[in-house]
Amino acid sequence: MTSWPYWARPAAPYSTAQPELMSSEPQVRVFPSTEELFRAAAETFCRIGSEAIRQRERFTVALSGGSTPRSLHQQLATTFSSQLPWDQVFFFWGDERHVPPDFPESNFRMAKETLLSKFPVPADHVLRMPGELPDANQAAGLYEQTLREFFHLAPGQFPRFDFVLLGIGGDGHTASLFPGTKALEEKQHLVAGNWVEQHSTWRITVTYPVLNNAANVMFLVEGSGKAGIVSKALKDPSANLPCQRVRPENGNLMWYMDQTAGAGL
Ligand code: 6PG
């Protein structure tokens, strides 16, 4: 019997049960194939989005970068394209590289190419991080202002995204919260410029208070290359990985993966 840390108890291997909305326990779901993984992730995204729109007439999403989201975007843009009123979705980012929006490494560019260009999303519903600014800290400050204005935040308040999509890197980073970087300790600001020594680059990232104030957070993980870090993240609380500090105080935490990524569980 696997000894799960209290916060990573699985719903059930190959669980077919639909995660409860606002469940207090993290949901770990392992799917037999990548096809089933991304279909289930799209289905959950749309179910949460429909509920948010039913309740508040809008769905606020923080997208992730990297390559894994491409397959989710592909599902949303095809099989699930009619499942949401896309003009009521507001797109934000959990992190961005310190580059202009048309650079190949841009998380915004990846989302635009694979998702946002597929729907008539109003321009003012796409609120990207200004990675083109020479000073990453200035970019972070501007984005923080954008969030404060959009969510009408009073000082000391944090935005509550309906859905935050996250990936996990081989070192256990998530968003642009990398091991040993300054942004890991940020408790006041919503967004931080973050120097990542291991990649000799600046990043812009939301901070843990934002991630942990979300209504739904989904880690989406694919491939055997992630099996080791997923096993460590979900079974070794002493690993002290950045991804392990994502624990929504009053929201759903979901780990969705294919069985190769979940091989170590
Ligand atoms: C980024 C992401 C980052 C990503 C992981 C996993 O800007 O790169 O936000 O946190 O999610 O590095 O990336 P892959 O999906 O490419 O494995």
Side-chain angles (χ1 to χ4, degrees):
M1 177 65 186
T2 304
S3 59
W4 296 92
Y6 75 92
W7 52 269
R9 227 159 285 123
Y14 304 108
S15 160
T16 50
Q18 301 299 356
E20 307 301 322
L21 283 180
M22 308 310 284
S23 70
S24 58
E25 284 299 301
Q27 303 276 342
V28 178
R29 299 181 72 192
V30 182
F31 297 88
S33 69
T34 53
E35 171 72 18
E36 287 165 286
L37 166 65
F38 292 113
R39 201 167 48 240
E43 195 277 332
T44 299
F45 180 95
C46 291
R47 189 177 61 255
I48 290 169
S50 300
E51 181 59 15
I53 290 166
R54 187 185 66 78
Q55 288 184 13
R56 292 179 297 280
E57 297 182 0
R58 73 181 192 189
F59 179 33
T60 56
V61 179
L63 295 174
S64 173
S67 54
T68 304
R70 288 175 176 273
S71 301
L72 169 62
H73 296 174
Q74 204 263 330
Q75 284 285 332
L76 292 172
T78 55
T79 312
F80 289 80
S81 61
S82 60
Q83 298 301 304
L84 279 179
W86 294 97
D87 60 349
Q88 289 181 263
V89 183
F90 289 81
F91 293 95
F92 299 80
W93 275 261
D95 73 319
E96 186 53 278
R97 284 75 179 288
H98 191 212
V99 295
D102 58 350
F103 273 35
E105 318 87 283
S106 164
N107 291 340
F108 164 78
R109 174 172 153 172
M110 184 274 281
K112 184 178 172 197
E113 287 173 349
T114 58
L115 183 63
L116 304 179
S117 58
K118 312 294 184 191
F119 301 112
V121 179
D124 63 355
H125 287 206
V126 178
L127 299 99
R128 67 177 183 82
M129 292 179 163
E132 67 276 17
L133 294 184
D135 179 342
N137 291 308
Q138 183 197 8
L142 266 180
Y143 202 64
E144 174 154 336
Q145 197 48 39
T146 299
L147 295 180
R148 289 198 176 287
E149 284 165 13
F150 182 89
F151 288 95
H152 303 296
L153 301 178
Q157 281 188 328
F158 295 98
R160 183 170 172 77
F161 284 105
D162 296 311
F163 191 98
V164 174
L165 179 67
L166 292 174
I168 175 175
D171 58 1
H173 81 262
T174 191
S176 283
L177 297 163
F178 285 81
T181 59
K182 197 159 160 265
L184 294 177
E185 306 315 323
E186 181 54 56
K187 302 275 187 294
Q188 267 71 49
H189 284 290
L190 283 57
V191 190
N194 199 25
W195 174 252
V196 184
E197 185 61 33
Q198 47 273 56
H199 297 293
S200 305
T201 187
W202 282 96
R203 290 284 189 95
I204 302 140
T205 185
V206 296
T207 57
Y208 286 118
V210 172
L211 297 176
N212 289 332
N213 197 43
N216 295 279
V217 177
M218 176 187 284
F219 280 97
L220 187 61
V221 196
E222 175 204 358
S224 57
K226 298 284 176 73
I229 197 66
V230 165
S231 175
K232 204 184 257 187
L234 290 178
K235 293 167 70 176
D236 178 6
S238 68
N240 192 24
L241 301 172
C243 61
Q244 290 177 313
R245 292 164 64 170
V246 177
R247 272 178 261 167
E249 282 135 32
N250 176 23
N252 279 322
L253 175 60
M254 296 164 272
W255 284 76
Y256 277 37
M257 65 195 78
D258 70 311
Q259 68 180 0
T260 63
L265 297 185

